[in-house]
Amino acid sequence: MRKILLLNILLLYFISNAQEKETDNFPPPEVPLEIQAIRAINPVKIDGVLNEVDWQSAQPTTDFFRVEPVQGGTIKNPTEVQILYDDKNLYFGIFAADSLGKKGVRIQDLSRDFNGQENDVFGIQIDAQNTKQYAVSFQTTPYGNQQDVQNFNDTNRDEDWNALWRVRTQRTDQGYFAEFAIPFKSIRYDKPVAGIPVEWGITFFRLARRDYEKTVFPAIPQSFSENRMTYAAKLTGLEVPPPSANIRIEPYALYQFDENKAGNMLTSKLNQPKVGGDVKWAINPNAVLDLTINTDFAQADVDQAVNNLERFNIFFPERRQFFLENSGIWAGSNSSFVRPFFSRTIGLSNSFNATPAPLDAGARYTDRDENRTLAALVVRQREIDNSPGSTFGVARYTKNYGEENNFGAMLTYRRDDGISELNLNSTNNTTLTLDGLIRPKSELSINYFLSASTDSETKDKGFAGQFFIGNTTNKYYLGYLNNFVSKDYAPDMGFVSQNDVMYHSPGGYAIIRPKKLPFIRRWDPGAFVNYYHDFENFGNFQQASIYIFPIFTWFKDNSFVEASFTPTWQNINFDFAPLGLEIDSGTYNYTRYLLRYNTDRSKKFSGSISYDFGNFYNGTRITVTGGLRYAPVPHIALTADYEHNNINALGTFQEYLDTDLYTASLRLALNPRVQLSTFYQYNSFDQQGRWNVRFSWEYMPLSFIYLVFNDTQTNVFDPIQQSTQFISKITFLKQF
């Protein structure tokens, strides 16, 4: 394995030395640019027209900076931003010029929290407390879709944070207009001090998707995003109202029908009305308390089926909004290898075959200012058959120092009640985690955490951690990632992909923008090493691979092609049977090859295909995936995806296996607030098919009516198991 490490070092050396010494990264300005907001004298109607007299007196901001397809130079699609305010709202008026006008617009659907890489987008990022490490973003498209995002340190994004605000747009033959109204109550800011002018950090960005031209204000290097708030301009001229303790309530009522069958026999049936709700209380400019009672997640997206051929547990992301909001504040929240706190453990019974368990109540407290963040979460889970009730708690503290550095600690605690009838004693599980971020300079980031767990039932104590260092410039990326998990690390409120493992991943890639090949926007050749060994016994090798990608290229229209190969070494010394195919203990050496391509995803018709082939342990495997999407207008989007595995002569018994995974979805939208989405998936491996149909109507801002239908069948042509669910739900949001 020394040859692997030596080869990786040589690859990194050649990559780093193939670049110019000048990286085109520039430091944040010593004196930020300033832009001014003007008080509106007359009422502002949010209609996307910008015909009020006050807009004529608002100073326009036009000096955007191009970051894509190349950094700097003449902007093809100029943008103009004006800012007004009154006693209640902050207003932004935008004109996004486009030489093709309406015909130049690229947008795939009208969903909220849309894909920002596939559509025309304009966004506003605000750091009202001048932390330089945190921002909220308000984004829209030419059709008025809304997306609101929290960003932490330009690394973690929380796209499920929802604020109360409005936007309307108008498309013209010269481009499109957008008009935002963001209530001051939806922004957390410090109490103004008499005699000291209010100054907020602010950035703008626009993606003109047809040309893949991204522009920002103020100037930010290409290697960072618009959320790197150390580069932010100052928004001045504001006379903001003193922040008040505002309250947002969101009660709900629903009816739920569940039916489960085994063959033709009805095994269970449920007809149940339910009421509950959430409360958000902004106690002061820094502190927010969220309460949830009789929590329900009926409208949450369903997980899609996956055929796992690897030796690690699959990581399924959280999809429930209460837990997604502010999720970036928890230690290790950006890791899918090990997380000391993973909210998907909440709402599952403490049993071998974990089943969903209802939540009685929960509370989350967040207190953030420019110096530190304090957060806590407590949830009570109800007792169900053969599984006790549980109480979950997590507390978090982060201290900021310097411009972009922080240090923090996190404590999790889970207590499962005892049940005397089942001879179950009360148990508890605790983790303590220390973590931090260090940015000596804008290009260099160092992240780390160290976590310890203890369990009252097993008496085991375990450890886990992560260390990452990465240098990102306009010309290259170089980085090293290390994860380790001890044999006895068991966070009952966390996620672990594998115990007793240490993982090393050094690697990097060049970022080449060839001037002599104008049809190529970016070419990133490089390599990453992945090396695993036991944590308890460092000398015990588990597996290694070198992912080498000489062709990793985006074209001018952002279509993409990859050609890569991955030499792999495996040491199997445990029971391992991917998809039920038993693999003998021993060592294996094989190479996998990958070819993949996707067209321009912003077009009405787009597609993707990948061909993954080569040896696989002692056999061979071919995996083909393909996808098509047709969106003739933004109101209609139809997608179809397919995955096929062909496995030959694999394992102890030289077995053969073919699997097919079919997925189709249809989204229909009257406008961004009235939508119907359907999803169907069939997996030939377990002969399971599943339907999810969801209608949503945002009849008032952030107030919804949902109709949801779910159906899962095993052996769909002659069902041996079937679960059917129908839910109708109404929510109402009121902000005081």
Side-chain angles (χ1 to χ4, degrees):
M1 304 320 297
R2 292 179 181 176
K3 293 181 179 179
I4 297 176
L5 296 176
L6 178 60
L7 176 59
N8 185 70
I9 292 170
L10 290 173
L11 284 168
L12 297 183
Y13 174 81
F14 288 129
I15 290 171
S16 61
N17 282 275
Q19 310 305 312
E20 301 172 9
K21 291 184 179 180
E22 174 58 49
T23 65
D24 293 330
N25 279 40
F26 46 87
E30 294 185 8
V31 180
L33 294 175
E34 293 188 12
I35 57 175
Q36 190 173 21
I38 303 297
R39 175 176 282 276
I41 306 301
N42 304 296
V44 178
K45 183 181 179 181
I46 305 303
D47 54 10
V49 178
L50 305 184
N51 58 354
E52 290 84 357
V53 174
D54 291 297
W55 286 119
Q56 310 308 314
S57 59
Q59 180 180 346
T61 297
T62 59
D63 49 338
F64 278 63
F65 178 77
R66 188 175 69 175
V67 293
E68 290 288 354
V70 294
Q71 180 170 294
T74 303
I75 293 173
K76 183 178 180 180
N77 302 282
T79 307
E80 181 177 298
V81 181
Q82 297 168 284
I83 309 173
L84 299 173
Y85 71 95
D86 57 22
D87 291 337
K88 293 184 177 180
N89 298 305
L90 184 60
Y91 302 99
F92 293 87
I94 288 87
F95 174 62
D98 190 311
S99 59
L100 295 183
K102 296 177 183 179
K103 295 180 180 179
V105 168
R106 295 286 179 90
I107 181 168
Q108 293 305 303
D109 61 52
L110 297 180
S111 60
R112 189 182 178 102
D113 296 332
F114 49 85
N115 187 323
Q117 299 299 312
E118 299 178 355
N119 303 289
D120 279 273
V121 185
F122 178 85
I124 304 160
Q125 291 64 237
I126 299 175
D127 177 13
Q129 294 176 307
N130 296 299
T131 66
K132 300 190 183 299
Q133 299 192 33
Y134 170 78
V136 292
S137 180
F138 303 90
Q139 303 173 23
T140 193
T141 73
Y143 277 78
N145 306 43
Q146 288 180 258
Q147 177 159 254
D148 26 32
V149 180
Q150 289 177 313
N151 192 281
F152 304 85
N153 299 108
D154 194 21
T155 53
N156 290 356
R157 286 170 57 90
D158 175 7
E159 296 184 358
D160 289 271
W161 172 74
N162 285 330
L164 197 62
W165 58 287
R166 290 181 296 151
V167 65
R168 292 294 184 270
T169 59
Q170 293 287 336
R171 299 172 300 283
T172 73
D173 292 335
Q174 290 76 43
Y176 68 91
F177 291 88
E179 194 169 18
F180 292 73
I182 304 174
F184 285 113
K185 284 189 174 184
S186 295
I187 303 173
R188 306 286 172 248
Y189 56 88
D190 297 328
K191 182 178 181 179
V193 179
I196 299 178
V198 174
E199 295 179 345
W200 292 357
I202 193 165
T203 68
F204 307 125
F205 84 94
R206 178 189 173 192
L207 178 63
R209 184 57 182 82
R210 187 182 77 258
D211 300 308
Y212 207 83
E213 181 182 68
K214 183 177 180 181
T215 53
V216 297
F217 173 86
I220 301 173
Q222 190 179 60
S223 53
F224 309 136
S225 84
E226 60 278 356
N227 298 295
R228 188 61 68 95
M229 300 309 288
T230 50
Y231 289 83
K234 285 184 180 180
L235 176 60
T236 64
L238 292 173
E239 297 175 10
V240 299
S244 58
N246 62 79
I247 296 177
R248 196 171 88 181
I249 63 169
E250 189 177 3
Y252 77 84
L254 68 76
Y255 168 76
Q256 179 174 336
F257 169 82
D258 285 329
E259 184 179 84
N260 295 293
K261 290 182 177 180
N264 294 321
M265 182 181 297
L266 182 67
T267 57
S268 66
K269 188 174 183 178
L270 173 69
N271 290 277
Q272 175 180 289
K274 185 177 178 182
V275 294
D278 299 337
V279 176
K280 183 181 290 289
W281 177 22
I283 303 169
N284 58 49
N286 303 323
V288 179
L289 177 65
D290 292 278
L291 302 174
T292 180
I293 301 171
N294 208 18
T295 315
D296 176 77
F297 307 106
Q299 71 276 17
D301 291 335
V302 297
D303 290 321
Q304 297 192 17
V306 176
N307 289 324
N308 185 19
L309 291 163
E310 304 300 330
R311 59 196 290 172
F312 301 110
N313 295 325
I314 297 176
F315 179 84
F316 288 101
E318 176 63 86
R319 297 183 181 275
R320 300 168 297 177
Q321 186 173 325
F322 179 78
F323 296 112
L324 283 166
E325 186 170 334
N326 277 309
S327 59
I329 64 178
W330 309 119
S333 61
N334 62 345
S335 173
S336 58
F337 191 86
V338 55
R339 289 193 187 184
F341 173 59
F342 182 42
S343 56
R344 280 194 72 141
T345 58
I346 302 174
L348 291 176
S349 64
N350 187 15
S351 59
F352 175 74
N353 240 342
T355 56
L359 304 181
D360 289 324
R364 179 179 58 232
Y365 176 78
T366 308
D367 190 342
R368 179 189 292 110
D369 62 26
E370 62 185 67
N371 297 315
R372 55 101 182 104
T373 298
L374 180 65
L377 174 71
V378 178
V379 178
R380 177 61 187 175
Q381 179 174 297
R382 193 177 308 163
E383 177 183 329
I384 59 175
D385 292 341
N386 300 321
S387 182
S390 301
T391 301
F392 301 83
V394 55
R396 171 72 160 150
Y397 177 79
T398 304
K399 174 66 177 177
N400 300 331
Y401 63 96
E403 283 202 344
E404 297 185 81
N405 310 312
N406 63 56
F407 172 80
M410 185 177 75
L411 179 71
T412 70
Y413 179 79
R414 172 174 179 167
R415 182 181 182 276
D416 296 320
D417 301 339
I419 301 179
S420 57
E421 294 85 352
L422 299 176
N423 293 319
L424 293 176
N425 296 320
S426 175
T427 61
N428 62 79
N429 180 276
T430 305
T431 69
L432 175 64
T433 304
L434 303 177
D435 71 311
L437 166 69
I438 302 173
R439 246 182 214 144
K441 55 181 182 177
S442 296
E443 299 90 346
L444 182 63
S445 294
I446 301 171
N447 290 283
Y448 61 90
F449 75 76
L450 177 63
S451 183
S453 72
T454 180
D455 191 275
S456 67
E457 183 177 20
T458 64
K459 310 301 181 185
D460 289 335
K461 295 179 174 61
F463 301 91
Q466 182 182 91
F467 174 81
F468 167 79
I469 180 169
N471 194 73
T472 304
T473 76
N474 291 356
K475 300 296 185 183
Y476 66 89
Y477 164 81
L478 291 173
Y480 169 75
L481 173 65
N482 171 262
N483 284 290
F484 65 88
V485 185
S486 73
K487 181 179 180 181
D488 295 324
Y489 182 70
D492 278 5
M493 290 176 61
F495 172 81
V496 175
S497 60
Q498 181 184 332
N499 284 91
D500 191 17
V501 64
M502 178 168 277
Y503 165 54
H504 308 268
S505 180
Y509 51 85
I511 301 175
I512 301 170
R513 299 175 184 267
K515 294 181 180 180
K516 295 183 179 181
L517 298 173
F519 58 91
I520 292 179
R521 181 174 69 84
R522 176 170 168 169
W523 173 33
D524 292 8
F528 285 91
V529 168
N530 300 287
Y531 184 86
Y532 301 79
H533 60 81
D534 286 359
F535 177 77
E536 309 288 345
N537 180 4
F538 270 44
N540 190 6
F541 166 72
Q542 293 185 5
Q543 68 168 328
S545 64
I546 308 176
Y547 171 45
I548 302 170
F549 43 101
I551 299 175
F552 201 88
T553 304
W554 289 267
F555 297 101
K556 187 178 179 180
D557 62 358
N558 213 44
S559 57
F560 172 81
V561 64
E562 175 187 354
S564 62
F565 59 100
T566 308
T568 301
W569 296 260
Q570 296 274 5
N571 180 27
I572 302 300
N573 56 8
F574 61 98
D575 292 337
F576 181 49
L579 300 185
L581 305 178
E582 184 179 334
I583 306 295
D584 281 335
S585 296
T587 58
Y588 300 88
N589 180 7
Y590 55 88
T591 300
R592 305 283 305 160
Y593 302 88
L594 174 65
L595 301 172
R596 66 184 177 114
Y597 172 74
N598 66 257
T599 65
D600 179 358
R601 295 184 184 276
S602 72
K603 290 186 175 181
K604 293 181 179 181
F605 186 81
S606 62
S608 63
I609 188 168
S610 72
Y611 185 66
D612 181 0
F613 63 100
N615 294 328
F616 187 61
Y617 296 95
N618 63 329
T620 63
R621 173 170 65 90
I622 296 173
T623 299
V624 179
T625 62
L628 295 172
R629 179 174 61 193
Y630 181 54
V633 292
H635 306 78
I636 302 172
L638 175 66
T639 63
D641 296 285
Y642 173 68
E643 177 193 276
H644 174 73
N645 284 301
N646 172 248
I647 298 172
N648 295 291
L650 180 67
T652 305
F653 304 104
Q654 300 284 294
E655 295 179 88
Y656 294 78
L657 178 67
D658 288 296
T659 69
D660 297 287
L661 184 62
Y662 305 89
T663 307
S665 66
L666 172 67
R667 182 184 292 272
L668 303 174
L670 183 64
N671 55 50
R673 289 161 290 283
V674 181
Q675 304 206 27
L676 174 69
S677 61
T678 65
F679 164 82
Y680 179 75
Q681 190 171 51
Y682 174 73
N683 189 350
S684 69
F685 175 69
D686 56 10
Q687 297 186 330
Q688 188 175 90
R690 61 181 70 186
W691 277 100
N692 172 249
V693 181
R694 181 175 59 178
F695 170 80
S696 64
W697 173 26
E698 187 179 6
Y699 63 94
M700 291 174 54
L702 293 183
S703 298
F704 293 88
I705 291 175
Y706 297 103
L707 299 175
V708 182
F709 172 77
N710 294 309
D711 183 78
T712 302
Q713 299 182 10
T714 302
N715 193 8
V716 295
F717 301 107
D718 185 15
I720 58 176
Q721 285 186 330
Q722 182 175 4
S723 298
T724 303
Q725 181 184 69
F726 173 77
I727 298 169
S728 59
K729 179 178 180 179
I730 183 170
T731 71
F732 173 75
L733 186 141
K734 177 65 176 178
Q735 183 164 297
F736 300 94

